[in-house]
Amino acid sequence: MTENPSSEPRDSATTLTDILASLRDRVMGVSESVLSTADGLLVVADVESVHAESVAALAAATLGVGRRMADHTGAGPLREVVVRGGSGHVVVTAVGDRALLTVMGDEGLDLAAFQRESPAAVEELSKVLAEDVPG
C-alpha cells in the first residue's frame, strides 16, 4: 500500500513513491520503505504491513542515536544505521539534512546490492524534495 499523507503536490508524491518502488524492484529482499522528514514526519511510503507513521518517527530517533554514537566513538559522519533482526533488516539512511529513507527487508535482503543502489535513490529523492522547496 502506498501512502501520501503530506500536502505535497500529487505529482511529486507520485515521483517519490515511484523512486521507493524502483528501489524495491532493483534490490532483492526489499519489502517496504518509508520516506520521512528528519524530525520523524511521514512524507510518502511504499508499505504493506508496517505502520508508516510509526516507522517515520522511529527512524528519526534511530538516526539521532546513530549520529551520537558515531560522534562519540570518532567513527566519522554517519552514513546509515542497519538493524539486523532474526527475520529481517531495517536500514535508515539520511537523505540530505532534512529527510530519511527507511528500508525494510526480509532475511534475504541483499545488503551489498542495497549499498550499491541506495546512493542513486537517495540522490533522486533529494532532487525531488529540493524542487518542492521554494527558492
Side-chain angles (χ1 to χ4, degrees):
M1 176 175 87
T2 301
E3 296 183 24
N4 176 29
S6 69
S7 59
E8 291 185 10
R10 180 69 183 141
D11 57 354
S12 64
T14 300
T15 302
L16 292 168
T17 303
D18 288 347
I19 295 167
L20 298 181
S22 175
L23 185 61
R24 178 176 28 87
D25 292 342
R26 290 190 325 262
V27 179
M28 185 175 74
V30 169
S31 56
E32 301 177 284
S33 56
V34 172
L35 180 66
S36 59
T37 63
D39 56 354
L41 299 175
L42 180 62
V43 177
V44 295
D46 178 28
V47 299
E48 291 183 15
S49 65
V50 298
H51 186 256
E53 289 87 356
S54 297
V55 170
L58 288 166
T62 300
L63 201 69
V65 170
R67 280 190 175 137
R68 290 178 62 192
M69 179 64 82
D71 287 344
H72 183 74
T73 60
L78 183 68
R79 294 189 310 218
E80 65 188 16
V81 175
V82 179
V83 177
R84 295 179 187 198
S87 60
H89 299 78
V90 179
V91 183
V92 181
T93 305
V95 178
D97 293 331
R98 299 178 26 188
L100 305 173
L101 170 62
T102 305
V103 174
M104 288 134 292
D106 58 29
E107 60 275 356
L109 175 63
D110 185 343
L111 286 170
F114 176 79
Q115 290 176 338
R116 193 173 49 250
E117 296 290 337
S118 64
V122 166
E123 185 175 329
E124 287 181 74
L125 292 166
S126 294
K127 285 179 184 176
V128 175
L129 290 170
E131 291 170 1
D132 283 347
V133 177

